[in-house]
Amino acid sequence: MSTATSTPGAVGDIGRGRARRVRSDGRQKVRQDPTVRLLLLVIVLVLGLIVIYPIGSILSAGFSSEGLEVFRNLFSTVASREIIVNTLTLGLIVGLTGTAVGFLLAFVQVRTRVRGKRVLHLLSLLPIVAPPFAVATSSIVLFGRNGVITHQLLGRDWNIYGLPGLTLVLTLSFFPVAYMNMLGMMRSLDPSLDEAAASLGATKGRIFLTVTLPMLVPGIAASFLLLFVEAIADLANPLVIGGDFSVLASRAYIAITADYNINAGAAYSLVLLVPALLVFLLQRYWVSRKSVVTVTGKPTGRAKPVEGLGSWIVCAVAWFVAALIVLIYGTVLVGGFARILGVNNTLTLDNYKYVLFGLGQAAMVDTTVLALISTPIAGVLGIVTAWLVSRKLRRFAGLLDFVGMLGMTVPGTVLGIGYAIAFNHPITVFGHQIMPALAGGGAVFSGAAAIVMVYVARSMPNGLRSGVASLEQISGAIEEASTSLGATGTQTFGKVTLPLIKPAMLSGLTYAFARAMTTLSPIIFITTPGVKIMTAQILAEVDVGRFGNAFAYCTILIVIVMVVILLLNLLVRDRSVMARQLGGGF
């Protein structure tokens, strides 16, 4: 007589199979919900308008006869090949340095006993809410040819323009992306794994190399890829501090604004688009193929802090980075009250009068209003799309997720040129105009509408990613129970799912507003005379050397972003999330 036995693995397989059947049945049932089908149609139409149509337009312009001629010249002339090499070199260096700085600061937060961690954390997040020019302009004042530190204090004649300056500026601007990514991963590691390795006689160094580091490899790789894309796609800093070091983003900008050759600008942008998309696809493939998990569920206990000389070294480096951040943004604050910081340090309020009561007033109001309009739209679209991807779709979930992420994956310069081409003329269907020209004209409403669309396209992916991550941690059985009691898909989403993913929605709203207020690359090509944007005004002030006005703009912009983020936290009233953001990390 044979006895039936069940192994843990078999039980797990049965449980996984049952979970798959429940999830599959739930998705098939919801496909019959007309409200969900309507939401899906709206999302598809919106993504088609704000993402697919502009990208298709730039593809069409890039592969025109003039665009193809630029393609041929790019690979046949030494100067053009140098631009490509410069772009890739900058991306690799910033990816490595930014990931290293982010990893180091996260390690100090989680694995050391250094005092002042909360201050260190807040300083590490400061570049997120700052405009792209703040670090570059401040670095010129401090470390330029006539810099306060390099020339006036140290007597050195250091040329900050070019690759060295771009590396410094972009690393300080983008390392918070790696920092937040690594901080979350390090806090989720189970300390019992280190304890088990230590009980087997492994040294601290061996434990770090063989246990801790392999668990963090996916996060390190993801951070490097994200920083690589951010660096090659950045436009603001190469314009300010790039000097003779030309990259594809600045070359595309010059082709359109100086050479008035939009097809050439589209061609340069398409070359920039290729590595960005390749990196995005590589990251998705990596995530789908590599899974490093612990089998114990929630982490138990706390990781044993690192002590000794190694701890002092990493803490010293971390505080050096923090001091550099304080120096950079302290210069921004002080520079707003000086006539010409480093040349004429006389205190004055003229810079703030210019911004608050002069030409800057319109830019401040327009930028804040447009960001406030786009923020809830981007947040809602991101969360609804995440819900459809995670809960309601089967075959096309991956495609919808991919298209939703394109707004952030496509470099801002590429998206901005795409908008300039796509919406520079009315959209007609079967001879009937369905949308007027939004870009390139002087109409206030049209220009504002185009900018809001760009803000939504760029900010929505963060809400999508946050929503998907949160929904994957929530059992589908909760929603199944609601559906079994007679609730529709939208009722279940509004009353059951949405309250559970409130932190993800808050994260999406916060990021959407900060991104809208500080972005430049996508909107510089579609601004109209009737709509003033603060980042564009800052660039204009820097170009003519009025650094005092630029610093005043930057300070006011940072204050606006921080105040609105605080109000968003208070409105959502999720104290746990607020505490994590302000004190303990995201």
Side-chain angles (χ1 to χ4, degrees):
M1 182 177 66
S2 62
T3 302
T5 60
S6 64
T7 65
V11 172
D13 293 338
I14 293 173
R16 285 191 295 270
R18 184 176 300 166
R20 283 195 294 268
R21 288 196 299 272
V22 169
R23 191 173 183 180
S24 175
D25 294 341
R27 291 193 179 201
Q28 289 177 350
K29 289 178 183 178
V30 178
R31 285 161 59 189
Q32 302 173 4
D33 191 331
T35 307
V36 173
R37 291 202 300 268
L38 178 61
L39 284 175
L40 178 60
L41 177 62
V42 171
I43 294 294
V44 170
L45 290 177
V46 170
L47 289 178
L49 179 64
I50 68 175
V51 177
I52 299 299
Y53 182 53
I55 294 177
S57 299
I58 201 170
L59 286 172
S60 176
F63 286 104
S64 63
S65 57
E66 294 183 31
L68 291 174
E69 182 65 26
V70 174
F71 278 127
R72 285 190 288 268
N73 293 333
L74 268 175
F75 299 97
S76 61
T77 62
V78 176
S80 296
R81 288 198 298 268
E82 184 179 355
I83 293 176
I84 298 177
V85 172
N86 288 348
T87 304
L88 297 178
T89 301
L90 180 64
L92 290 173
I93 294 176
V94 173
L96 290 172
T97 56
T99 302
V101 172
F103 178 88
L104 179 91
L105 290 169
F107 186 86
V108 169
Q109 285 286 333
V110 179
R111 294 297 183 97
T112 66
R113 289 179 175 174
V114 63
R115 293 184 177 181
K117 286 186 179 181
R118 180 170 297 183
V119 174
L120 193 63
H121 173 70
L122 293 176
L123 290 176
S124 300
L125 298 181
L126 185 57
I128 295 177
V129 300
F133 305 98
V135 179
T137 309
S138 181
S139 298
I140 293 173
V141 172
L142 292 173
F143 309 113
R145 296 187 182 96
N146 193 34
V148 175
I149 294 178
T150 53
H151 181 74
Q152 298 181 21
L153 293 181
L154 302 179
R156 301 286 183 179
D157 187 17
W158 183 48
N159 182 15
I160 195 175
Y161 295 93
L163 182 60
L166 281 173
T167 300
L168 171 67
V169 168
L170 293 179
T171 298
L172 290 177
S173 299
F174 297 144
F175 85 84
V177 176
Y179 168 71
M180 289 190 295
N181 191 10
M182 301 308 304
L183 183 64
M185 290 196 69
M186 286 186 184
R187 283 178 170 166
S188 66
L189 293 181
D190 194 338
S192 63
L193 299 176
D194 292 0
E195 295 172 1
S199 67
L200 294 174
T203 62
K204 291 182 180 180
R206 186 171 179 81
I207 292 173
F208 177 78
L209 293 176
T210 61
V211 178
T212 306
L213 194 60
M215 298 287 289
L216 298 174
V217 165
I220 294 173
S223 299
F224 171 79
L225 294 176
L226 286 172
L227 265 63
F228 175 84
V229 173
E230 290 283 357
I232 67 173
D234 186 69
L235 173 63
N237 291 297
L239 291 178
V240 175
I241 205 171
D244 296 332
F245 191 83
S246 297
V247 294
L248 286 169
S250 59
R251 188 65 191 88
Y253 174 79
I254 293 172
I256 292 178
T257 59
D259 300 338
Y260 303 103
N261 190 339
I262 198 165
N263 291 316
Y268 284 117
S269 298
L270 289 182
V271 178
L272 183 63
L273 180 62
V274 172
L277 284 180
L278 286 177
V279 166
F280 176 60
L281 293 174
L282 177 62
Q283 183 182 4
R284 288 177 67 92
Y285 176 78
W286 177 281
V287 172
S288 65
R289 298 283 293 182
K290 296 287 185 181
S291 179
V292 182
V293 298
T294 60
V295 296
T296 55
K298 283 189 176 182
T300 56
R302 293 184 178 181
K304 188 176 181 180
V306 177
E307 297 178 347
L309 181 61
S311 174
W312 284 102
I313 292 175
V314 295
C315 290
V317 176
W319 278 109
F320 173 79
V321 174
L324 187 58
I325 293 173
V326 171
L327 178 64
I328 292 290
Y329 289 100
T331 301
V332 173
L333 178 63
V334 174
F337 293 99
R339 293 197 177 276
I340 306 175
L341 188 61
V343 177
N344 183 357
N345 297 323
T346 304
L347 295 179
T348 180
L349 294 176
D350 291 344
N351 301 322
Y352 282 95
K353 288 180 181 178
Y354 175 83
V355 175
L356 294 173
F357 306 107
L359 296 178
Q361 186 179 29
M364 184 173 62
V365 173
D366 290 350
T367 306
T368 306
V369 169
L370 295 181
L372 289 174
I373 292 173
S374 65
T375 294
I377 299 175
V380 171
L381 284 176
I383 291 297
V384 172
T385 305
W387 180 61
L388 293 173
V389 168
S390 299
R391 293 289 193 260
K392 305 306 174 186
L393 299 180
R394 292 185 61 191
R395 296 180 180 178
F396 301 104
L399 178 61
L400 183 62
D401 183 55
F402 175 78
V403 175
M405 290 299 298
L406 281 178
M408 183 173 65
T409 305
V410 173
T413 304
V414 178
L415 191 65
I417 295 175
Y419 266 76
I421 298 172
F423 299 108
N424 197 38
H425 51 78
I427 300 177
T428 59
V429 176
F430 299 117
H432 298 283
Q433 179 177 322
I434 63 172
M435 180 179 290
L438 300 181
V444 174
F445 175 78
S446 298
I451 292 173
V452 168
M453 290 165 63
V454 171
Y455 286 166
V456 172
R458 295 289 284 174
S459 303
M460 174 193 152
N462 188 75
L464 170 59
R465 284 271 62 81
S466 299
V468 169
S470 295
L471 288 168
E472 287 179 350
Q473 296 176 349
I474 299 173
S475 174
I478 299 176
E479 295 172 333
E480 291 293 327
S482 174
T483 305
S484 67
L485 294 175
T488 63
T490 50
Q491 288 175 332
T492 300
F493 175 74
K495 296 182 178 180
V496 177
T497 307
L498 192 59
L500 293 174
I501 59 174
K502 184 189 294 184
M505 187 170 183
L506 175 61
S507 174
L509 292 173
T510 300
Y511 180 87
F513 183 79
R515 186 74 181 250
M517 290 292 294
T518 59
T519 192
L520 173 73
S521 303
I523 60 154
I524 195 171
F525 301 98
I526 59 173
T527 53
T528 61
V531 181
K532 305 293 185 183
I533 301 298
M534 291 186 73
T535 50
Q537 296 298 114
I538 296 173
L539 177 61
E541 297 297 327
V542 172
D543 280 344
V544 297
R546 292 196 291 260
F547 285 2
N549 291 343
F551 286 141
Y553 266 120
C554 290
T555 303
I556 293 173
L557 194 153
I558 292 173
V559 170
I560 293 174
V561 172
M562 296 182 70
V563 168
V564 173
I565 288 177
L566 179 62
L567 292 177
L568 284 174
N569 279 273
L570 294 176
L571 289 175
V572 176
R573 293 180 180 179
D574 194 324
R575 296 182 180 273
S576 62
V577 175
M578 187 173 177
R580 286 197 301 272
Q581 288 185 345
L582 296 180
F586 290 93

